[in-house]
C-alpha cells in the first residue's frame, strides 16, 4: 500500500508538470501576445505592459518564473483586471464552486446509487422502467438544457425557486440538478447494470447456498462488488461536475470559479485562463488520486498490482 | 404386461439414419457482420435511433433548401415571433397577432405572418398603441403591465385589446406557418437555423470522431503491437493524459486557435483519442496472441499487412461501438463550447449557440430554447440507442 | 434410525422464458441414504445441475419447481417458504460449485465467508466462529490456517479455494452435501486431492453426498451409485459396477466410449456421440436420445419407455430392454478390471 501511494504521488507530480508545461506553451503560442485586441493600444502602453508582466523576457525565463510561481502557489497577476491576482479569483470563486460541486457529488451518490439498486432489484417491473427511462433521458440532455428548463418552469412560470445566486437551500436545487443530472443518470445506469451482472455471479449463489437472508446477500455480498465500477467512474464524474460548473454558474449567475473562467475566456485574460486550467487540473488529479486510494480500500485485489 | 399387445411389429423397426439426420435443425451459418446486423435489427430501440439519425441527416441536408429563408437572413420587424400564435379577429378576413412587445402583426387565417402593422399612434406615456385596420380602430393598451410585473403573479393581466372601444378576447392559437419554429431576436427563421445547427452538430460529431479514430487506432495499434518498453511508455503517457479534464484543453485550444468550426473539430479530435487508444491497444494485445496471427507471421506477412488484414478487422467490433458512443459526446461538447461562447462564429448557428442566444429572452421567448434543446436531446438519445444496440450486437460474448 | 435422507418423487422443474416453458427437469425420482455418495452424470443441458438447484430450492428466476416432492428427512421441501429454506441451506444441506475461482466473494476474507454460515446457523460469537473457521480450514488441509483465515480469495490457489469452499460447506456439519462439478475447473493432481477429501468426509462425518459431473472417471472414484441423466430425465440408474460393466442404455454406452483411456492399446479411438441434445423448449414425446441413438426404432420416437428394473435396483429407460424388442448386437461397457 505504502509503495503504491508513493508511486502514485510521483505520477501525480509528473502529470502536474506536464499540465503546467503544456498550458504555458499553448498560451504563449498565441500570435500577437495577450494585449493584441480589437482596440489597438498605443505602442508605449503596450511596451509598458509587456515590461510590467515580464513579457519581454526570453520564453525559457518566463517558463522558469512561471513554474517557480506554481511551486509556491503563486499564479501571477490577472491581465484583465489590473491589481487583481489569479490567486484572488481562485480564493473568491473556488469555495463557492466547491460547495455547489460537493452538494452535486453528494446528490449523485445519495440518489444515483440507490436508484440503480432499486432498478436492478425490480428488474423489468415498473420501478425499473421509471428509473431506466429517466436515466436514459438524463444522459441525453445537456446540463445547460436542464438548468434553463428549471429556470423557465420553476422560476419564471411557477415562481417556486429563485433563479439567481446561491444564498438559501432553495437556490441550490436548480444548479445542483443541472450540474449532477448527467452524472446522476449515468451512475444510476452503471449501478443497475453492474448490480445485475454481480447478481449473476457464482459467489452470490454461494452466499445464497449458505442460507443467508436475501438482504445480506444483496447489501453485503452484491453491493460492495457492484460499487467497484461506480467508484471507477467517480474520477471522470468529478471532472464532469467541475467543467459542468462553467455553464451552470453562467446560467444561474453564481459567482464561482466556473463563471470567472468563462469570463476569462471571453476577455482573453491569459494568466487567469492559464491559472484556472492549472488549478482545475491539479484539483482533479488529486481527487482522482483519492478515488483510487478508496478503490484500493474496497477492492482487495488492487494492492497486489504494486 | 398388457401393453405388449399394443406394440405393432413395425414399431420395432429401426429408424433409417437419414431420417434422424433430417430431424436435426440446422441454423444457417452467418458471417460475423450478418449476424451482428440480424441482432441489431431485432433491437427496436436501436433501429428507432438509426431511423432518427437518418431522418435527421436528410433533414439537415435538404431541410434548409426547402425553406424560403437562409440561416443568416435578418428581418428586425419579424423578431421574436413564436411558433404558436394567439390570434384575434378584426373583421371577416382580417386576423391579428399581438407580439409580446405589444406590436401588432397581420395574419392569414391559416397562420401565415403577413407583416408588422404600422401604428397610427404610439402613446408611450399612457402606454397604448392604436392601429387602423379595415377601417376599425384597434387599440393595444399595455398600461397594466408595470403593475402586473410588480405583483409577481405570472398570470396577472398585462394588456387589453380594444376594437372600436370594445375589449376582445383571443380566438385561439394557430401554428405559425411562415416561421414554424418562430424567429429569434434578430428576426431570423429558427427552423432554418436549427436545421443548420444540425448540420454543424452532425458534422462536428462525425469528423471529430473520425479524427479520434485515426489517432486512437494508430496510437493504440502501435502500442499494443510493438509491446514491451515502447508500449509501457506510450501507455504511461496515456495514463497521464487521462487524469487531466480534457475539456480544459479543448477550451485552451479554442482560445489559442480562435473560435470557429474548424477549430472545434481539430480541438475535439486531437484531445479525446485516449479512450480509443486504450480500447484498440487492449484488443490488439489479445488478438496478436491468437493462432491465426502467428500463422500469418510464419508465412512471412509484413507487420503492416498483419495489422491491416488481421488486427484492425478483428478489433473493428469494439472500435465501432466506441465510435458510436463518441459521436454523442462530441455533439455534447460542441454544444457546451458554443454555449459558453467558444463555438462557431455568428451568423453561423449550432444548437449550443442557439441555446445561448435564447438565454437572454428565456422568460418571454422560451420556444427559442425549446427547439435546439429538443434537437440535441433527441439526437444524443438516438446515438445512445444505436450505440447500445451496436454494443450488444457486436459483443462476441453474447453471440449464440 | 432412518438412514433415508433424501427422496425425490417425480420432480419437474421448468424455466418460464419469453420463448416459452423450458422443461429442464421432466420427472426425476431417486433416493439417497446417509453416508452414501450418489453420482449424477450427463452432458451439459441434461438437467443434472437444475436437479441439484431444485433440491436447494435455488433455481434462478424465471425457473421454478413445478411438480413433484423433494423429501428431505421426511419433510417435503417444495412447499417450503424461502425463509424456511434459509434455515436449511448451509446448515443441513450444503453445496459446493464448479468454479472455485468465481465462487468466493473477492472482497471478503476467506475467514469472513466461513464465519458467516456458522454465526447464522449455530449462533456462534465472532471469536468462536473465527476459531471454528480455522478448524475447518485445517480439516480441509490448508497449511497454517491461523494466517490463511485472513487472506482474500485472490491470495489462494484454485485448489485451495475449492478446499475453502468445502470448508464453508462443511462448517455446519450438513447432512447432505451437493457438489456440482467440484473438480472440473481444477488440474488433475488437485482433482485427486479434492476427491480424496470428499471420500474422507463422507466416511468420517457420515454425510450424504450428491456428486454432479460429466466426468465418469470422477464418479467411479467416489460414488457407489450412479444416475445417468439426459434431456431432463433419468436414463439409467445403478451401482457403479453395473453402470460401468453392464450398461443397459445406449446413451450410457455412448458416454463410456467417449472417455479417453490411458490403459488401452494405442489403437483406441474415442467415439463421440453424434448430434446435439434435444431442445427442452419442445421436448420430444418419445425417448429424448432417440435422434442420436444408433439403435433408434420407430417406437423410440413415438413413446417414452418405462423403466425396466432389475432385482439389484439397476433400472434403465430403453425400449431395447422390452421383452418383445428385437435382439440387437450392442456393445456393452468396459471390460471388468479396466477401470
Amino acid at each position: 500500500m505504502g509503495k503504491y501511494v508513493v508511486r502514485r504521488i510521483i505520477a501525480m507530480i509528473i502529470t502536474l508538470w506536464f499540465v503546467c508545461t503544456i498550458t504555458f506553451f499553448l498560451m504563449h503560442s498565441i500570435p500577437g501576445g495577450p494585449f493584441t485586441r480589437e482596440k489597438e493600444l498605443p505602442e508605449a502602453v503596450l511596451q509598458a505592459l509587456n515590461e510590467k508582466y515580464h513579457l519581454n523576457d526570453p520564453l525559457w525565463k518566463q517558463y522558469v518564473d512561471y513554474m517557480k510561481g506554481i511551486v509556491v502557489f503563486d499564479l501571477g497577476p490577472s491581465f484583465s483586471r489590473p491589481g487583481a491576482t489569479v490567486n484572488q479569483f481562485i480564493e473568491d470563486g473556488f469555495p463557492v464552486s466547491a460547495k455547489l460541486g460537493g452538494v452535486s457529488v453528494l446528490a449523485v451518490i445519495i440518489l444515483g446509487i440507490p436508484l440503480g439498486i432499486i432498478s436492478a432489484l425490480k428488474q423489468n417491473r415498473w420501478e425499473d422502467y421509471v428509473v431506466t427511462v429517466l436515466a436514459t433521458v438524463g444522459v441525453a440532455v445537456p446540463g445547460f438544457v436542464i438548468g434553463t428548463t428549471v429556470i423557465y418552469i420553476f422560476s419564471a412560470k411557477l415562481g417556486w425557486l429563485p433563479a439567481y445566486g446561491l444564498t438559501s437551500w432553495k437556490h441550490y436545487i436548480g444548479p445542483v440538478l443541472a450540474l449532477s443530472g448527467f452524472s446522476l443518470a449515468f451512475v444510476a445506469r452503471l449501478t443497475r447494470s453492474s448490480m445485475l451482472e454481480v447478481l449473476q455471479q457464482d459467489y452470490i449463489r454461494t452466499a445464497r447456498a449458505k442460507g443467508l437472508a436475501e438482504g445480506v446477500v444483496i447489501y453485503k455480498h452484491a453491493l460492495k462488488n457492484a460499487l467497484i465500477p461506480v467508484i471507477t467512474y467517480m474520477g471522470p464524474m468529478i471532472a464532469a461536475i467541475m467543467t459542468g460548473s462553467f455553464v451552470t454558474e453562467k446560467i444561474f449567475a453564481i459567482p464561482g470559479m466556473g463563471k470567472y473562467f468563462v469570463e476569462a475566456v471571453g476577455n482573453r485574460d491569459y494568466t487567469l485562463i492559464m491559472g484556472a486550467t492549472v488549478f482545475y487540473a491539479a484539483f482533479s488529479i488529486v481527487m482522482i488520486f483519492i478515488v483510487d486510494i478508496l478503490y484500493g480500500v474496497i477492492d482487495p485485489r488492487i494492492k497486489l498490482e504494486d | 404386461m398388457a401393453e405388449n399387445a399394443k406394440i405393432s411389429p413395425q414399431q420395432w423397426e429401426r429408424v433409417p439414419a437419414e431420417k434422424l439426420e433430417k430431424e436435426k435443425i440446422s441454423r444457417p451459418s452467418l458471417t460475423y457482420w450478418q449476424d451482428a446486423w440480424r441482432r441489431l435489427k431485432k433491437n427496436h430501440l436501436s433501429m428507432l435511433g438509426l431511423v432518427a439519425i437518418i431522418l435527421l441527416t436528410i433533414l439537415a441536408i435538404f431541410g434548409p433548401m426547402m425553406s424560403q429563408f437562409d440561416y443568416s437572413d435578418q428581418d428586425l420587424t419579424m423578431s421574436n415571433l413564436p411558433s404558436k400564435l394567439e390570434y384575434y379577429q378584426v373583421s371577416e378576413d382580417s386576423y391579428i397577432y399581438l407580439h409580446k412587445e405589444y406590436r401588432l402583426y397581420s395574419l392569414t387565417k391559416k397562420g401565415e405572418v403577413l407583416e408588422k402593422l404600422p401604428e397610427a399612434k404610439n402613446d408611450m406615456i399612457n402606454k397604448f398603441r392604436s392601429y387602423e385596420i379595415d377601417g376599425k380602430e384597434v387599440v393595444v393598451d399595455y398600461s397594466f403591465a408595470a403593475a402586473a410585473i410588480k405583483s409577481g403573479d405570472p398570470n396577472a393581466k398585462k394588456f387589453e385589446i380594444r376594437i372600436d372601444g370594445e375589449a376582445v378576447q383571443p380566438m385561439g392559437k394557430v401554428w405559425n406557418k411562415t416561421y414554424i419554429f418562430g424567429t429569434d431576436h434578430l428576426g431570423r427563421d429558427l427552423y432554418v437555423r436549427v436545421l443548420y445547427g444540425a448540420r454543424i452538430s452532425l458534422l462536428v460529431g462525425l469528423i471529430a470522431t473520425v479524427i479520434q479514430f485515426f489517432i486512437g487506432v494508430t496510437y493504440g495499434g502501435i502500442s499494443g503491437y510493438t509491446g514491451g518498453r515502447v508500449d509501457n511508455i506510450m501507455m504511461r503517457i496515456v495514463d497521464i493524459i487521462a487524469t487531466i479534464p480534457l475539456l480544459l484543453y479543448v477550451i485552451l485550444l479554442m482560445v489559442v486557435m480562435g473560435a470557429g468550426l474548424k477549430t472545434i473539430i481539430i480541438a475535439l479530435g486531437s484531445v479525446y483519442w485516449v479512450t480509443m487508444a486504450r480500447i484498440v491497444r487492449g484488443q490488439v494485445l489479445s488478438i496478436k496472441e491468437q493462432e491465426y496471427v502467428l500463422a500469418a507471421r510464419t508465412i512471412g506477412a509484413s507487420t503492416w499487412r498483419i495489422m491491416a488484414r488481421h488486427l484492425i478487422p478483428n478489433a473493428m467490433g469494439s472500435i465501432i461501438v466506441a465510435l458510436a458512443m463518441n459521436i454523442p459526446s462530441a455533439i455534447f461538447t460542441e454544444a457546451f463550447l458554443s454555449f459558453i461562447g467558444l463555438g462557431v462564429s455568428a451568423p453561423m448557428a449550432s444548437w449550443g449557440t442557439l441555446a445561448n442566444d435564447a438565454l437572454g429572452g428565456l422568460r418571454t421567448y422560451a420556444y427559442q430554447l425549446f427547439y435546439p434543446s429538443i434537437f440535441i436531446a433527441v439526437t444524443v438519445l438516438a446515438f445512445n440507442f444505436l450505440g447500445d444496440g451496436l454494443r450488444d450486437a457486436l459483443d462476441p460474448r453474447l453471440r449464440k | 434410525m432412518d438412514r433415508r435422507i433424501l427422496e425425490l418423487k417425480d420432480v419437474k422443474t421448468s424455466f418460464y422464458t419469453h420463448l416459452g416453458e423450458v422443461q429442464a427437469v421432466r420427472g426425476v425420482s431417486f433416493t439417497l441414504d446417509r453416508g452414501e455418495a450418489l453420482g449424477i452424470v450427463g452432458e451439459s443441458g441434461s438437467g443434472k445441475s437444475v436437479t441439484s438447484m431444485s433440491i436447494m430450492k435455488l433455481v434462478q428466476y424465471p425457473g421454478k419447481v413445478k411438480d413433484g416432492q423433494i423429501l428431505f428427512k421426511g419433510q417435503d421441501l417444495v412447499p417450503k417458504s424461502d425463509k424456511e429454506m434459509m434455515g436449511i441451506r448451509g446448515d443441513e444441506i450444503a453445496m459446493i460449485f464448479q468454479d472455485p475461482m468465481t465462487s468466493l466473494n473477492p472482497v471478503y476474507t476467506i475467514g469472513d465467508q466461513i464465519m458467516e454460515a456458522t454465526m447464522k446457523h449455530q449462533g456462534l460469537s465472532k471469536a468462536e466462529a473465527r476459531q471454528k473457521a480455522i478448524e475447518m480450514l485445517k480439516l480441509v488441509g490448508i497449511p497454517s490456517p491461523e494466517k490463511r483465515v485472513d487472506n482474500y480469495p485472490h491470495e489462494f490457489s484454485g485448489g485451495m479455494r475449492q478446499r475453502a469452499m468445502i470448508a464453508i460447506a462443511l462448517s455446519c456439519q450438513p447432512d447432505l452435501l451437493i457438489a456440482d462439478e467440484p473438480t472440473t475447473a481444477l488440474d488433475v493432481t488437485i482433482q485427486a486431492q479434492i476427491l480424496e477429501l470428499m471420500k474422507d468426509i463422507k466416511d468420517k462425518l457420515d454425510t450424504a453426498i450428491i456428486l454432479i459431473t460429466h466426468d465418469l472417471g470422477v464418479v467411479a472414484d467416489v460414488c457407489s451409485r450412479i444416475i445417468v441423466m439426459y434431456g431432463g430425465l433419468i436414463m439409467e440408474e445403478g451401482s457403479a459396477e453395473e453402470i460401468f460393466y453392464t450398461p443397459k442404455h445406449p446413451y450410457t454406452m455412448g458416454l463410456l466410449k467417449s472417455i479417453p483411456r490411458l490403459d488401452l492399446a494405442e489403437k483406441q479411438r474415442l467415439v463421440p456421440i453424434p448430434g446435439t441434445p434435444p431442445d427442452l423448449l419442445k421436448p420430444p414425446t418419445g425417448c429424448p436420445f432417440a435422434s442420436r441413438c444408433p439403435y433408434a426404432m420407430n417406437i423410440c420416437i413415438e413413446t417414452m419407455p418405462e423403466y425396466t428394473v432389475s432385482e439389484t435396483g439397476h433400472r434403465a429407460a430403453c425400449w431395447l430392454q422390452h421383452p418383445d424388442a428385437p435382439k440387437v448386437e450392442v456393445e456393452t461397457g468396459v471390460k471388468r478390471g479396466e477401470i
Side-chain angles (χ1 to χ4, degrees):
Chain A
M1 190 76 176
K3 219 173 146 195
Y4 174 73
V5 172
V6 170
R7 273 185 58 160
R8 282 302 310 268
I9 290 175
I10 293 171
M12 247 164 53
I13 293 169
I14 295 174
T15 311
L16 266 176
W17 167 78
F18 186 79
V19 167
C20 299
T21 307
I22 288 198
T23 311
F24 179 86
F25 285 105
L26 264 181
M27 293 313 287
H28 283 263
S29 67
I30 299 170
F35 299 110
T36 317
R37 306 258 169 98
E38 292 100 70
K39 212 174 20 169
E40 220 158 284
L41 293 163
E43 188 60 30
V45 177
L46 198 63
Q47 269 309 317
L49 280 171
N50 280 346
E51 195 58 45
K52 186 178 170 208
Y53 294 115
H54 305 287
L55 292 175
N56 292 334
D57 289 351
L59 198 57
W60 67 265
K61 187 163 186 305
Q62 290 186 46
Y63 173 67
V64 171
D65 286 344
Y66 191 68
M67 294 307 265
K68 272 188 201 155
I70 283 173
V71 173
V72 295
F73 197 70
D74 173 11
L75 296 168
S78 157
F79 280 179
S80 65
R81 238 185 280 174
T85 65
V86 175
N87 286 25
Q88 278 168 354
F89 278 104
I90 293 173
E91 279 157 29
D92 282 358
F94 184 66
V96 177
S97 298
K99 239 192 282 175
L100 191 58
V103 174
S104 301
V105 170
L106 274 182
V108 172
I109 293 169
I110 294 173
L111 295 174
I113 293 174
L115 282 177
I117 296 173
I118 291 170
S119 185
L121 296 182
K122 304 274 179 186
Q123 198 192 0
N124 295 331
R125 269 177 268 177
W126 69 266
E127 296 94 330
D128 182 26
Y129 292 129
V130 170
V131 174
T132 309
V133 167
L134 279 180
T136 310
V137 173
V139 294
V141 180
F144 63 81
V145 173
I146 300 178
T148 45
T149 311
V150 168
I151 290 195
Y152 179 67
I153 296 176
F154 294 100
S155 307
K157 284 279 149 183
L158 299 169
W160 292 353
L161 296 176
Y164 303 109
L166 200 64
T167 42
S168 75
W169 65 269
K170 271 189 174 179
H171 284 89
Y172 276 89
I173 296 175
V176 166
L177 263 179
L179 210 47
S180 63
F182 179 88
S183 300
L184 211 159
F186 194 87
V187 162
R189 268 163 61 123
L190 197 62
T191 309
R192 175 182 185 272
S193 63
S194 163
M195 194 74 184
L196 284 178
E197 202 185 310
V198 166
L199 286 174
Q200 295 295 314
Q201 296 294 313
D202 290 347
Y203 52 80
I204 295 302
R205 198 175 50 178
T206 308
R208 290 208 170 104
K210 271 193 259 184
L212 300 179
E214 198 57 20
V216 179
V217 172
I218 289 166
Y219 293 105
K220 186 176 169 196
H221 284 268
L223 188 58
K224 203 167 167 190
N225 283 287
L227 285 183
I228 291 171
V230 178
I231 289 170
T232 326
Y233 175 66
M234 289 291 157
M237 180 182 88
I238 290 161
I241 285 182
M242 215 168 60
T243 46
S245 73
F246 299 169
V247 297
T248 310
E249 289 174 8
K250 176 184 155 130
I251 296 169
F252 290 92
I254 295 164
M257 242 189 101
K259 188 165 170 279
Y260 292 148
F261 185 67
V262 173
E263 281 170 7
V265 167
N267 295 337
R268 301 288 185 264
D269 184 340
Y270 296 124
T271 39
L272 187 47
I273 296 176
M274 210 154 65
T277 304
V278 168
F279 180 79
Y280 273 130
F283 178 72
S284 96
I285 290 165
V286 171
M287 292 313 276
I288 287 174
F289 171 72
I290 293 171
V291 167
D292 280 357
I293 298 291
L294 192 69
Y295 191 72
V297 170
I298 284 210
D299 189 348
R301 286 165 295 185
I302 296 299
K303 288 174 206 157
L304 255 198
E305 286 173 17
D306 287 80
Chain B
M1 287 238 177
E3 270 182 61
N4 292 359
K6 289 182 206 152
I7 301 169
S8 65
Q10 92 215 34
Q11 281 184 295
W12 290 120
E13 272 168 33
R14 290 279 286 272
V15 182
E18 316 88 73
K19 203 183 156 206
L20 286 176
E21 284 299 314
K22 257 183 227 156
E23 285 179 14
K24 267 186 245 153
I25 323 141
S26 66
R27 202 188 254 216
S29 68
L30 297 170
T31 66
Y32 176 68
W33 297 107
Q34 283 170 328
D35 192 40
W37 174 237
R38 184 185 59 83
R39 281 138 121 339
L40 189 65
K41 271 197 295 191
K42 271 201 261 174
N43 187 331
H44 299 303
L45 278 181
S46 283
M47 290 322 276
L48 194 72
L50 185 63
V51 169
I53 292 164
I54 293 171
L55 279 181
L56 191 77
T57 313
I58 294 173
L59 211 57
I61 296 172
F62 300 107
M65 294 178 193
M66 307 293 176
S67 173
Q68 49 175 314
F69 303 104
D70 192 52
Y71 71 92
S72 56
D73 287 352
Q74 296 183 11
D75 183 352
L76 286 171
T77 62
M78 291 294 181
S79 69
N80 292 331
L81 286 170
S83 50
K84 270 189 148 178
L85 305 167
E86 199 175 50
Y87 68 100
Y88 300 81
Q89 192 169 22
V90 180
S91 63
E92 180 93 24
D93 254 348
S94 162
Y95 300 89
I96 51 168
Y97 162 72
L98 176 68
H99 194 277
K100 289 260 168 78
E101 285 156 22
Y102 310 116
R103 302 189 298 260
L104 284 185
Y105 288 81
S106 57
L107 300 179
T108 66
K109 192 168 194 312
K110 270 163 43 195
E112 286 151 342
V113 180
L114 296 175
E115 58 166 342
K116 180 185 165 205
L117 292 165
E119 56 227 21
K121 195 176 164 200
N122 186 359
D123 188 336
M124 287 167 87
I125 294 157
N126 295 316
K127 300 204 163 105
F128 74 86
R129 284 181 178 139
S130 68
Y131 295 83
E132 206 180 293
I133 304 161
D134 289 354
K136 293 180 179 171
E137 192 205 22
V138 181
V139 174
V140 179
D141 179 355
Y142 55 98
S143 52
F144 318 96
I149 291 165
K150 228 180 189 173
S151 76
D153 176 6
N155 298 318
K157 184 178 170 187
K158 292 193 184 93
F159 62 88
E160 192 175 74
I161 292 185
R162 291 188 292 269
I163 299 178
D164 285 344
E166 206 173 312
V168 290
Q169 292 305 312
M171 300 283 292
K173 281 191 170 179
V174 64
W175 198 276
N176 187 335
K177 292 287 177 339
T178 312
Y179 307 100
I180 59 171
F181 289 176
T183 58
D184 68 3
H185 64 288
L186 294 175
R188 293 177 292 202
D189 180 33
L190 270 181
Y191 168 75
V192 168
R193 287 180 70 73
V194 166
L195 291 190
Y196 198 83
R199 282 187 184 184
I200 305 247
S201 294
L202 290 177
L203 203 69
V204 167
L206 218 69
I207 301 182
T209 308
V210 168
I211 298 178
Q212 286 170 38
F213 166 78
F214 281 113
I215 302 180
V217 167
T218 314
Y219 193 98
I222 292 173
S223 178
Y225 192 83
T226 321
R229 187 194 284 266
V230 175
D231 176 42
N232 209 342
I233 292 171
M234 286 177 89
M235 279 304 119
R236 283 298 145 267
I237 295 174
V238 160
D239 285 347
I240 287 176
I241 297 175
T243 45
I244 308 167
L246 292 177
L247 187 63
L248 288 174
Y249 278 87
V250 174
I251 293 175
L252 275 191
L253 282 175
M254 301 288 296
V255 171
V256 172
M257 298 193 286
L261 185 59
K262 233 195 284 171
T263 322
I264 293 190
I265 290 173
I266 294 171
L268 288 183
S270 57
V271 169
Y272 287 98
W273 49 270
V274 173
T275 329
M276 184 64 79
R278 279 186 168 163
I279 290 170
V280 172
R281 172 184 173 265
Q283 286 286 319
V284 167
L285 272 185
S286 71
I287 294 167
K288 80 170 178 180
E289 301 301 325
Q290 307 278 328
E291 310 280 311
Y292 58 79
V293 174
L294 190 67
R297 202 170 295 150
T298 50
I299 59 169
S302 70
T303 301
W304 280 110
R305 191 182 158 78
I306 290 172
M307 278 229 195
R309 298 283 304 170
H310 297 284
L311 295 179
I312 304 295
N314 281 295
M316 217 51 191
S318 334
I319 293 173
I320 287 179
V321 175
L323 279 179
M325 295 294 191
N326 270 344
I327 293 177
S329 70
I331 292 176
F332 244 86
T333 317
E334 184 278 325
F336 181 96
L337 290 172
S338 299
F339 189 80
I340 63 170
L342 277 174
V344 294
S345 22
M348 277 211 274
S350 85
W351 292 332
T353 48
L354 289 174
N356 191 20
D357 288 349
L359 198 59
L362 177 65
R363 283 158 183 274
T364 328
Y365 312 113
Y367 66 91
Q368 293 178 0
L369 184 74
F370 177 76
Y371 292 104
S373 302
I374 281 287
F375 269 79
I376 300 176
V378 168
T379 308
V380 173
L381 209 57
F383 275 107
N384 283 348
F385 283 158
L386 182 65
D388 285 347
L390 280 173
R391 190 189 50 212
D392 294 345
L394 294 172
D395 192 337
R397 278 184 308 170
L398 294 168
R399 240 181 139 202
K400 279 189 196 140
Chain C
M1 191 192 145
D2 193 3
R3 298 282 297 166
R4 172 71 36 90
I5 186 133
L6 182 72
E7 180 167 8
L8 267 68
K9 287 184 179 166
D10 202 26
V11 171
K12 291 177 181 158
T13 303
S14 288
F15 291 86
Y16 297 90
T17 67
H18 60 279
L19 293 170
E21 180 187 347
V22 178
Q23 303 175 31
V25 174
R26 300 192 286 146
V28 160
S29 310
F30 64 84
T31 62
L32 183 66
D33 289 346
R34 280 177 198 280
E36 192 187 10
L38 170 74
I40 302 182
V41 213
E43 56 196 284
S44 28
S46 61
K48 55 191 195 313
S49 287
V50 179
T51 305
S52 67
M53 293 311 266
S54 302
I55 299 168
M56 290 292 274
K57 296 242 349 245
L58 276 177
V59 182
Q60 277 203 333
Y61 180 85
K64 204 181 141 217
V65 180
K66 67 164 183 176
D67 205 4
Q69 282 183 304
I70 299 170
L71 299 170
F72 177 69
K73 296 204 241 176
Q75 280 184 313
D76 190 2
L77 299 182
V78 176
K80 282 207 189 293
S81 72
D82 214 38
K83 204 161 181 199
E84 290 172 297
M85 282 310 296
M86 277 174 203
I88 295 173
R89 279 182 215 139
D91 188 20
E92 295 173 78
I93 310 178
M95 193 158 178
I96 48 181
F97 299 101
Q98 174 174 352
D99 194 348
M101 309 307 272
T102 57
S103 292
L104 289 164
N105 195 331
V107 299
Y108 292 105
T109 62
I110 300 286
D112 275 341
Q113 297 187 54
I114 302 175
M115 285 155 66
E116 253 181 346
T118 49
M119 281 162 75
K120 172 160 202 277
H121 296 298
Q122 303 187 327
L124 299 188
S125 73
K126 218 167 175 177
E128 289 166 336
R130 190 182 152 84
Q131 205 44 51
K132 174 93 185 178
I134 295 171
E135 267 169 49
M136 291 313 299
L137 288 177
K138 200 171 184 177
L139 178 78
V140 296
I142 295 212
S144 53
E146 306 79 17
K147 277 187 209 146
R148 289 303 203 159
V149 75
D150 292 323
N151 278 176
Y152 285 96
H154 69 268
E155 294 163 297
F156 270 39
S157 69
M160 274 163 65
R161 286 192 214 186
Q162 197 59 300
R163 282 168 195 269
M165 276 300 291
I166 296 174
I168 293 176
L170 294 179
S171 58
C172 298
Q173 282 97 34
D175 300 295
L176 171 61
L177 175 67
I178 303 174
D180 190 352
E181 309 252 8
T183 57
T184 312
L186 304 173
D187 57 45
V188 196
T189 47
I190 311 291
Q191 225 177 62
Q193 289 171 11
I194 296 287
L195 291 179
E196 210 48 50
L197 177 64
M198 290 185 48
K199 271 197 279 188
D200 222 37
I201 285 155
K202 180 189 71 168
D203 298 336
K204 265 195 216 152
L205 307 175
D206 202 25
T207 311
I209 293 180
I210 297 179
L211 180 63
I212 294 160
T213 177
H214 63 267
D215 185 344
L216 281 164
V218 169
V219 270
D221 201 8
V222 181
C223 303
S224 50
R225 211 146 48 83
I226 295 171
I227 282 174
V228 179
M229 279 190 76
Y230 187 80
L233 292 168
I234 294 178
M235 295 282 105
E236 186 166 2
E237 178 187 351
S239 69
E241 300 230 316
E242 286 163 339
I243 296 290
F244 280 99
Y245 304 130
T246 55
K248 287 180 180 172
H249 200 285
Y251 177 59
T252 315
M253 297 169 199
L255 274 185
L256 288 168
K257 271 191 280 183
S258 62
I259 4 174
R261 303 266 300 279
L262 296 171
D263 52 335
L264 290 187
E266 68 270 25
K267 275 230 174 135
Q268 183 221 13
R269 255 192 114 103
L270 283 182
V271 189
I273 307 174
T276 48
D279 183 0
L280 293 175
L281 203 57
K282 298 179 284 283
T285 46
C287 172
F289 188 59
S291 64
R292 296 168 75 186
C293 181
Y295 312 108
M297 300 174 292
N298 287 329
I299 189 154
C300 299
I301 294 170
E302 290 155 17
T303 325
M304 182 63 206
E306 302 277 314
Y307 288 109
T308 323
V309 191
S310 78
E311 304 99 68
T312 57
H314 184 186
R315 59 174 173 149
C318 181
W319 283 111
L320 290 176
Q321 300 299 319
H322 196 278
D324 292 353
K327 292 288 161 278
V328 288
E329 199 54 34
V330 292
E331 289 177 61
T332 47
V334 292
K335 301 285 176 310
R336 196 162 284 273
E338 276 174 0
I339 282 189

